[in-house]
């Protein structure tokens, strides 16, 4: 379980996150929803230790962030963080070199699933292809959790569907997924749990099926209700 | 350790073309200069011999290197400037550009101080690679000189004389005194760490961080400079002064590394 | 088995629990004979992938269907549609019931005697059946897109 308790962050006196508390369970897909600038990406970055927090605590299966965290939680940022000159095959070797949890077979499977070319250079990929390769790098790790920042942003419809398929597939398997998106429709049926953020505060967090059966509301409905009022 | 070495490899790999370019530039400028000057000298010697001026002195490799003060200094100074800038760029390049590699670098499963140390090591590798390359070039250039100049015009010189005849070598690159060499490069290494930590101050605290960084560099610079020019010979024996200097360097180093490691592991924002 | 044809293009209503809609989808497929009783069905995760839904939702739908004895799962073998005729009959009755309820609700405000209504129903029903015999509007999935059933 990824657990955030009263996490706060300031950036030169501006509060970016305020008392953010939520959990993302293993075997579940949890989605951070909110408008741009609500603090979604920042939360993911705090979990990965890419930006400091000024209050509260973050624990992953009860442990604070340390270097082993990165073997257990794979992070897929909103861009392909691979030098432009690197060939995809080099990038895969790079990952294999550093991660003991790297699963070469799964990497190959993913490369086939997304129909990617090993000889292409990272800098020459189209946005959609880069996003797919980015998923390969994250999902080929035998990690317990996968954290994805805006996996659908700027991707065309066809590629979006291909990416959405990954969530229900064996490629994600029984891992815990935590993702951010502002394209709720894309994930309406994919997610177990939604955490709505507004101006760095958790406005509401809920189980999607529960809201559908108890309030007859869709995730989009709740989001509109909470964020636009 | 293993991942540290991989990180060093990664950093060296990323700079390899720049390094090769610097080497090529150095070789090209120095060889051109050497060939030209040697030709002029040989021509002059022949001319003088033809006119029967017996006062013409034979010349040595060291003389030619001595003639080439400026031309030899150019590539070396360029290299120093490039490597000096790269001390900053080695960090900032991970934040800029489409790939924003910092996201990957700082989520690698290794302690963050390895990232810091790998970048520092890479810089040292570049510096020593350039210095070794320069030494190698001098050997090559001497060979070239020997080929070009008929032995009857030639005066032999020690390799050390050749180094000593060019200011840029004696002053900056290759102090011939062993202790001085160690002090030079020791302070150089220390300076790299101080600048790294300054960069991390800025990367951690951004705008106010620039102020912290400048103050930090000023304080460390003052401490190091103070140590270098420590002049307490009336009170201490020279050996004691050396010990005091060494302690100051160590303290600056210890503090810089501690702060740098802390910033890179806990405070940095990608 | 042509899975692509079978499950593609199904849209859900985002305001009702998805697991319940999946259960209903299965019931419809059973009643309309698209899936036969005794037939094996996709695993939970396969179904989730085919319908592009959350695997836990698929899991919950299967659990629900097991509780309603709609499907049976023995040990590690794949789940199958039940062979119990009682259950199948019950589903048929249930779907028919809800469909008729909906129909009645729509025409409730139209002032029409039951006899006349039944006549209309009979007429429309005969027409529909005749049309169906001429050209099957919805071919059963098995014969759907010929041999193009590789994944």
């Amino acid at each position: 379980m990824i657990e955030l308790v009263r996490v706060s962050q300031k950036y030169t006196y501006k509060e970016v996150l305020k008392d953010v508390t939520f959990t993302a369970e293993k075997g579940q897909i949890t989605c951070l929803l909110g408008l741009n600038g609500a603090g979604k990406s920042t939360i993911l970055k705090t979990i990965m230790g890419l930006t400091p927090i000024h209050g509260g605590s973050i624990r992953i299966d009860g442990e604070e962030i340390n270097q082993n965290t990165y073997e257990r939680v794979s992070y897929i940022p909103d861009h392909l963080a691979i030098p432009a000159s690197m060939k995809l095959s080099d990038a895969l070797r790079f990952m294999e070199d550093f991660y003991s949890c790297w699963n070469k077979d799964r990497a190959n499977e993913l490369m086939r699933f997304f129909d990617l070319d090993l000889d292409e250079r990272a800098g020459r990929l189209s946005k959609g292809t880069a996003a797919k390769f980015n998923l390969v790098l994250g999902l080929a790790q035998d990690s317990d959790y996968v954290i994805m920042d805006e996996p659908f942003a700027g991707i065309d419809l066809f590629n979006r569907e291909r990416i959405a398929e990954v969530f229900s597939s064996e490629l994600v398997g029984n891992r815990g997924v935590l993702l951010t998106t502002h394209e709720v429709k894309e994930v309406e049926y994919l997610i177990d749990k939604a955490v709505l953020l507004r101006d760095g505060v958790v406005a509401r967090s809920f189980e999607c099926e529960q809201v559908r059966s108890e309030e007859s509301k869709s995730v989009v409905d709740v989001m509109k209700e909470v964020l636009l009022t | 350790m293993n991942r540290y070495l991989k990180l060093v490899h990664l950093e060296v790999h990323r700079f390899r073309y720049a390094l090769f370019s610097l080497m090529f530039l150095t070789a090209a400028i120095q060889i051109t200069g050497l060939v030209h000057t040697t030709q002029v000298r040989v021509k002059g010697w022949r001319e003088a011999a033809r006119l029967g001026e017996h006062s013409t002195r034979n010349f040595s490799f060291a003389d030619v290197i001595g003639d080439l003060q400026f031309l030899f200094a150019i590539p070396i100074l360029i290299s120093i400037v490039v490597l000096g800038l790269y001390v900053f760029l080695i960090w900032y390049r991970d934040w800029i550009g489409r790939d924003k590699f910092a996201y990957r670098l700082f989520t690698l499963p290794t302690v963050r101080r390895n990232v810091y140390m790998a970048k520092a090591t890479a810089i040292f590798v570049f510096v020593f690679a350039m210095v070794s390359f320069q030494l190698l070039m001098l050997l090559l250039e001497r060979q070239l000189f020997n080929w070009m100049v008929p032995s009857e015009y030639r005066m032999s010189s020690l390799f050390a004389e050749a180094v000593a005849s060019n200011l840029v070598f004696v002053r900056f690159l290759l102090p011939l005194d062993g202790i001085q060499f160690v002090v030079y490069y020791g302070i150089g290494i220390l300076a790299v760490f101080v600048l790294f930590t300054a960069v991390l101050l800025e990367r951690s605290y951004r705008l106010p961080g620039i102020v912290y960084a400048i103050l930090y560099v000023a304080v460390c610079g003052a401490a190091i400079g103070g140590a270098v020019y420590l002049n307490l010979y009336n009170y201490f024996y020279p050996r004691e002064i050396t010990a005091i200097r060494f302690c100051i360097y160590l303290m600056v180093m210890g503090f810089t590394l501690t702060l740098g490691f802390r910033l890179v592991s806990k405070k940095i924002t990608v | 088995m042509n899975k692509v044809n079978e499950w593609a293009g199904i849209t859900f209503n985002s305001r009702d629990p998805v697991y319940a809609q999946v259960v209903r989808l299965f019931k419809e497929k059973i009643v309309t004979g698209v899936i036969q009783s005794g037939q094996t069905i996709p695993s939970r995760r396969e179904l989730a992938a085919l319908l592009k839904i959350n695997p836990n939702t698929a899991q919950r739908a299967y659990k629900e269907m097991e509780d309603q004895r709609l499907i049976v799962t023995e040990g590690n073998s794949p789940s199958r549609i039940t062979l119990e005729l009682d259950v199948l009959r019950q589903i048929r009755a249930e779907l028919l019931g809800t469909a008729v309820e909906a129909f009645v609700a729509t025409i409730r405000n139209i002032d029409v005697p039951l006899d006349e209504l039944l006549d209309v129903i009979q007429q429309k029903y005969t027409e529909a059946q005749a049309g169906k015999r001429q050209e099957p509007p919805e071919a059963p999935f098995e014969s759907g897109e010929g041999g193009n059933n590789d994944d």
Side-chain angles (χ1 to χ4, degrees), chain B residues 196-224:
Chain B
F196 270 20
T197 298
V199 167
L200 291 175
L201 276 169
E202 189 279 327
R203 286 289 84 189
S204 301
Y205 301 105
R206 302 294 156 109
L207 226 54
I210 296 176
V211 180
Y212 305 155
I214 292 171
L215 286 176
Y216 185 73
V217 171
V219 169
C220 290
I224 296 167

mmCIF file of all heavy atoms in Angstrom, chain B residues 196-224:
data_model
loop_
_atom_site.group_PDB
_atom_site.id
_atom_site.type_symbol
_atom_site.label_atom_id
_atom_site.label_comp_id
_atom_site.label_asym_id
_atom_site.label_seq_id
_atom_site.Cartn_x
_atom_site.Cartn_y
_atom_site.Cartn_z
ATOM 1 N N PHE B 196 29.657 21.874 -7.338
ATOM 2 C CA PHE B 196 28.551 20.898 -7.391
ATOM 3 C C PHE B 196 27.527 21.203 -6.304
ATOM 4 O O PHE B 196 26.323 21.248 -6.546
ATOM 5 C CB PHE B 196 29.085 19.475 -7.182
ATOM 6 C CG PHE B 196 29.475 18.777 -8.461
ATOM 7 C CD1 PHE B 196 29.743 19.491 -9.620
ATOM 8 C CD2 PHE B 196 29.564 17.393 -8.504
ATOM 9 C CE1 PHE B 196 30.103 18.843 -10.801
ATOM 10 C CE2 PHE B 196 29.908 16.729 -9.675
ATOM 11 C CZ PHE B 196 30.180 17.456 -10.816
ATOM 12 N N THR B 197 28.040 21.401 -5.113
ATOM 13 C CA THR B 197 27.132 21.658 -4.003
ATOM 14 C C THR B 197 26.393 22.982 -4.217
ATOM 15 O O THR B 197 25.206 23.095 -3.899
ATOM 16 C CB THR B 197 27.907 21.621 -2.677
ATOM 17 O OG1 THR B 197 28.444 20.298 -2.520
ATOM 18 C CG2 THR B 197 27.032 21.948 -1.486
ATOM 19 N N ALA B 198 27.092 23.946 -4.804
ATOM 20 C CA ALA B 198 26.436 25.220 -5.113
ATOM 21 C C ALA B 198 25.303 25.006 -6.122
ATOM 22 O O ALA B 198 24.196 25.526 -5.955
ATOM 23 C CB ALA B 198 27.452 26.214 -5.668
ATOM 24 N N VAL B 199 25.573 24.201 -7.152
ATOM 25 C CA VAL B 199 24.532 23.891 -8.144
ATOM 26 C C VAL B 199 23.339 23.235 -7.452
ATOM 27 O O VAL B 199 22.183 23.585 -7.697
ATOM 28 C CB VAL B 199 25.079 22.952 -9.244
ATOM 29 C CG1 VAL B 199 23.948 22.377 -10.082
ATOM 30 C CG2 VAL B 199 26.077 23.676 -10.131
ATOM 31 N N LEU B 200 23.627 22.322 -6.527
ATOM 32 C CA LEU B 200 22.540 21.615 -5.848
ATOM 33 C C LEU B 200 21.746 22.551 -4.942
ATOM 34 O O LEU B 200 20.540 22.388 -4.779
ATOM 35 C CB LEU B 200 23.094 20.437 -5.050
ATOM 36 C CG LEU B 200 23.641 19.304 -5.915
ATOM 37 C CD1 LEU B 200 24.285 18.233 -5.060
ATOM 38 C CD2 LEU B 200 22.542 18.693 -6.771
ATOM 39 N N LEU B 201 22.435 23.543 -4.371
ATOM 40 C CA LEU B 201 21.709 24.546 -3.579
ATOM 41 C C LEU B 201 20.698 25.254 -4.470
ATOM 42 O O LEU B 201 19.534 25.426 -4.103
ATOM 43 C CB LEU B 201 22.684 25.564 -2.987
ATOM 44 C CG LEU B 201 23.365 25.167 -1.678
ATOM 45 C CD1 LEU B 201 24.490 26.142 -1.350
ATOM 46 C CD2 LEU B 201 22.364 25.129 -0.529
ATOM 47 N N GLU B 202 21.157 25.627 -5.647
ATOM 48 C CA GLU B 202 20.243 26.308 -6.571
ATOM 49 C C GLU B 202 19.127 25.365 -7.010
ATOM 50 O O GLU B 202 17.953 25.744 -7.024
ATOM 51 C CB GLU B 202 21.032 26.832 -7.784
ATOM 52 C CG GLU B 202 20.223 27.744 -8.695
ATOM 53 C CD GLU B 202 19.339 26.992 -9.662
ATOM 54 O OE1 GLU B 202 19.706 25.888 -10.107
ATOM 55 O OE2 GLU B 202 18.255 27.503 -9.981
ATOM 56 N N ARG B 203 19.462 24.123 -7.336
ATOM 57 C CA ARG B 203 18.448 23.169 -7.799
ATOM 58 C C ARG B 203 17.437 22.828 -6.695
ATOM 59 O O ARG B 203 16.328 22.418 -6.973
ATOM 60 C CB ARG B 203 19.113 21.878 -8.298
ATOM 61 C CG ARG B 203 19.816 21.989 -9.633
ATOM 62 C CD ARG B 203 18.872 22.123 -10.801
ATOM 63 N NE ARG B 203 18.442 23.483 -11.017
ATOM 64 C CZ ARG B 203 17.483 23.844 -11.871
ATOM 65 N NH1 ARG B 203 16.847 22.946 -12.577
ATOM 66 N NH2 ARG B 203 17.160 25.099 -12.011
ATOM 67 N N SER B 204 17.859 22.972 -5.440
ATOM 68 C CA SER B 204 16.964 22.629 -4.342
ATOM 69 C C SER B 204 16.086 23.804 -3.929
ATOM 70 O O SER B 204 14.917 23.629 -3.615
ATOM 71 C CB SER B 204 17.765 22.161 -3.125
ATOM 72 O OG SER B 204 18.541 21.034 -3.452
ATOM 73 N N TYR B 205 16.677 25.008 -3.918
ATOM 74 C CA TYR B 205 15.912 26.153 -3.408
ATOM 75 C C TYR B 205 15.624 27.186 -4.480
ATOM 76 O O TYR B 205 15.123 28.261 -4.188
ATOM 77 C CB TYR B 205 16.642 26.785 -2.224
ATOM 78 C CG TYR B 205 16.854 25.810 -1.090
ATOM 79 C CD1 TYR B 205 18.100 25.253 -0.840
ATOM 80 C CD2 TYR B 205 15.788 25.432 -0.281
ATOM 81 C CE1 TYR B 205 18.286 24.336 0.182
ATOM 82 C CE2 TYR B 205 15.963 24.516 0.747
ATOM 83 C CZ TYR B 205 17.213 23.978 0.975
ATOM 84 O OH TYR B 205 17.385 23.067 1.984
ATOM 85 N N ARG B 206 16.010 26.872 -5.723
ATOM 86 C CA ARG B 206 15.756 27.741 -6.862
ATOM 87 C C ARG B 206 16.186 29.181 -6.595
ATOM 88 O O ARG B 206 17.314 29.386 -6.205
ATOM 89 C CB ARG B 206 14.276 27.650 -7.296
ATOM 90 C CG ARG B 206 13.876 26.242 -7.661
ATOM 91 C CD ARG B 206 14.611 25.772 -8.894
ATOM 92 N NE ARG B 206 14.703 24.327 -8.984
ATOM 93 C CZ ARG B 206 14.049 23.572 -9.839
ATOM 94 N NH1 ARG B 206 13.247 24.124 -10.720
ATOM 95 N NH2 ARG B 206 14.217 22.272 -9.854
ATOM 96 N N LEU B 207 15.287 30.156 -6.726
ATOM 97 C CA LEU B 207 15.726 31.549 -6.683
ATOM 98 C C LEU B 207 16.500 31.907 -5.407
ATOM 99 O O LEU B 207 17.625 32.394 -5.493
ATOM 100 C CB LEU B 207 14.519 32.473 -6.881
ATOM 101 C CG LEU B 207 14.765 33.598 -7.882
ATOM 102 C CD1 LEU B 207 15.246 33.060 -9.217
ATOM 103 C CD2 LEU B 207 13.507 34.425 -8.063
ATOM 104 N N PRO B 208 15.947 31.643 -4.229
ATOM 105 C CA PRO B 208 16.768 31.915 -3.035
ATOM 106 C C PRO B 208 18.036 31.068 -3.041
ATOM 107 O O PRO B 208 19.063 31.481 -2.494
ATOM 108 C CB PRO B 208 15.865 31.494 -1.874
ATOM 109 C CG PRO B 208 14.508 31.346 -2.430
ATOM 110 C CD PRO B 208 14.626 31.111 -3.900
ATOM 111 N N GLY B 209 17.943 29.912 -3.683
ATOM 112 C CA GLY B 209 19.096 29.006 -3.752
ATOM 113 C C GLY B 209 20.299 29.639 -4.428
ATOM 114 O O GLY B 209 21.442 29.338 -4.078
ATOM 115 N N ILE B 210 20.033 30.530 -5.399
ATOM 116 C CA ILE B 210 21.151 31.199 -6.078
ATOM 117 C C ILE B 210 21.946 32.017 -5.066
ATOM 118 O O ILE B 210 23.181 31.990 -5.056
ATOM 119 C CB ILE B 210 20.622 32.108 -7.210
ATOM 120 C CG1 ILE B 210 19.939 31.246 -8.282
ATOM 121 C CG2 ILE B 210 21.758 32.919 -7.838
ATOM 122 C CD1 ILE B 210 19.303 32.038 -9.399
ATOM 123 N N VAL B 211 21.213 32.690 -4.187
ATOM 124 C CA VAL B 211 21.882 33.487 -3.158
ATOM 125 C C VAL B 211 22.687 32.578 -2.236
ATOM 126 O O VAL B 211 23.867 32.824 -1.963
ATOM 127 C CB VAL B 211 20.849 34.304 -2.345
ATOM 128 C CG1 VAL B 211 21.546 35.135 -1.274
ATOM 129 C CG2 VAL B 211 20.023 35.181 -3.272
ATOM 130 N N TYR B 212 22.044 31.487 -1.784
ATOM 131 C CA TYR B 212 22.768 30.545 -0.908
ATOM 132 C C TYR B 212 24.021 30.048 -1.616
ATOM 133 O O TYR B 212 25.087 29.934 -1.008
ATOM 134 C CB TYR B 212 21.909 29.329 -0.550
ATOM 135 C CG TYR B 212 20.575 29.626 0.075
ATOM 136 C CD1 TYR B 212 19.523 28.710 -0.019
ATOM 137 C CD2 TYR B 212 20.350 30.817 0.783
ATOM 138 C CE1 TYR B 212 18.289 28.965 0.554
ATOM 139 C CE2 TYR B 212 19.119 31.076 1.345
ATOM 140 C CZ TYR B 212 18.087 30.158 1.225
ATOM 141 O OH TYR B 212 16.873 30.404 1.783
ATOM 142 N N ALA B 213 23.867 29.735 -2.886
ATOM 143 C CA ALA B 213 24.986 29.162 -3.652
ATOM 144 C C ALA B 213 26.146 30.150 -3.718
ATOM 145 O O ALA B 213 27.298 29.787 -3.481
ATOM 146 C CB ALA B 213 24.529 28.776 -5.054
ATOM 147 N N ILE B 214 25.814 31.409 -4.022
ATOM 148 C CA ILE B 214 26.877 32.415 -4.117
ATOM 149 C C ILE B 214 27.571 32.582 -2.770
ATOM 150 O O ILE B 214 28.798 32.588 -2.675
ATOM 151 C CB ILE B 214 26.299 33.754 -4.621
ATOM 152 C CG1 ILE B 214 25.865 33.599 -6.092
ATOM 153 C CG2 ILE B 214 27.327 34.878 -4.480
ATOM 154 C CD1 ILE B 214 25.080 34.770 -6.638
ATOM 155 N N LEU B 215 26.763 32.662 -1.707
ATOM 156 C CA LEU B 215 27.347 32.792 -0.367
ATOM 157 C C LEU B 215 28.232 31.584 -0.052
ATOM 158 O O LEU B 215 29.341 31.724 0.461
ATOM 159 C CB LEU B 215 26.236 32.902 0.679
ATOM 160 C CG LEU B 215 25.501 34.239 0.717
ATOM 161 C CD1 LEU B 215 24.353 34.203 1.718
ATOM 162 C CD2 LEU B 215 26.481 35.363 1.091
ATOM 163 N N TYR B 216 27.715 30.420 -0.415
ATOM 164 C CA TYR B 216 28.458 29.205 -0.111
ATOM 165 C C TYR B 216 29.805 29.181 -0.821
ATOM 166 O O TYR B 216 30.843 28.893 -0.211
ATOM 167 C CB TYR B 216 27.622 27.984 -0.500
ATOM 168 C CG TYR B 216 28.288 26.707 -0.095
ATOM 169 C CD1 TYR B 216 28.336 26.339 1.248
ATOM 170 C CD2 TYR B 216 28.911 25.897 -1.025
ATOM 171 C CE1 TYR B 216 28.983 25.194 1.638
ATOM 172 C CE2 TYR B 216 29.560 24.746 -0.640
ATOM 173 C CZ TYR B 216 29.589 24.400 0.694
ATOM 174 O OH TYR B 216 30.240 23.267 1.077
ATOM 175 N N VAL B 217 29.759 29.509 -2.106
ATOM 176 C CA VAL B 217 31.008 29.524 -2.866
ATOM 177 C C VAL B 217 31.961 30.573 -2.285
ATOM 178 O O VAL B 217 33.164 30.332 -2.154
ATOM 179 C CB VAL B 217 30.737 29.805 -4.364
ATOM 180 C CG1 VAL B 217 32.041 30.038 -5.120
ATOM 181 C CG2 VAL B 217 29.989 28.637 -4.986
ATOM 182 N N ALA B 218 31.413 31.723 -1.894
ATOM 183 C CA ALA B 218 32.251 32.782 -1.322
ATOM 184 C C ALA B 218 32.937 32.302 -0.045
ATOM 185 O O ALA B 218 34.145 32.473 0.131
ATOM 186 C CB ALA B 218 31.408 34.026 -1.053
ATOM 187 N N VAL B 219 32.162 31.669 0.826
ATOM 188 C CA VAL B 219 32.721 31.200 2.096
ATOM 189 C C VAL B 219 33.801 30.147 1.845
ATOM 190 O O VAL B 219 34.912 30.225 2.374
ATOM 191 C CB VAL B 219 31.603 30.638 3.010
ATOM 192 C CG1 VAL B 219 32.194 29.900 4.206
ATOM 193 C CG2 VAL B 219 30.705 31.765 3.472
ATOM 194 N N CYS B 220 33.473 29.170 1.000
ATOM 195 C CA CYS B 220 34.448 28.116 0.718
ATOM 196 C C CYS B 220 35.686 28.702 0.026
ATOM 197 O O CYS B 220 36.813 28.329 0.350
ATOM 198 C CB CYS B 220 33.838 27.038 -0.167
ATOM 199 S SG CYS B 220 32.614 26.063 0.702
ATOM 200 N N GLY B 221 35.428 29.615 -0.913
ATOM 201 C CA GLY B 221 36.539 30.252 -1.620
ATOM 202 C C GLY B 221 37.443 30.988 -0.646
ATOM 203 O O GLY B 221 38.671 30.879 -0.698
ATOM 204 N N ALA B 222 36.822 31.696 0.299
ATOM 205 C CA ALA B 222 37.604 32.434 1.288
ATOM 206 C C ALA B 222 38.429 31.473 2.141
ATOM 207 O O ALA B 222 39.610 31.704 2.405
ATOM 208 C CB ALA B 222 36.672 33.262 2.163
ATOM 209 N N ALA B 223 37.801 30.381 2.540
ATOM 210 C CA ALA B 223 38.512 29.410 3.378
ATOM 211 C C ALA B 223 39.705 28.818 2.621
ATOM 212 O O ALA B 223 40.816 28.737 3.152
ATOM 213 C CB ALA B 223 37.565 28.298 3.819
ATOM 214 N N ILE B 224 39.451 28.425 1.375
ATOM 215 C CA ILE B 224 40.526 27.811 0.598
ATOM 216 C C ILE B 224 41.614 28.843 0.294
ATOM 217 O O ILE B 224 42.809 28.580 0.488
ATOM 218 C CB ILE B 224 39.975 27.206 -0.715
ATOM 219 C CG1 ILE B 224 39.001 26.070 -0.391
ATOM 220 C CG2 ILE B 224 41.115 26.693 -1.593
ATOM 221 C CD1 ILE B 224 38.172 25.608 -1.566
#
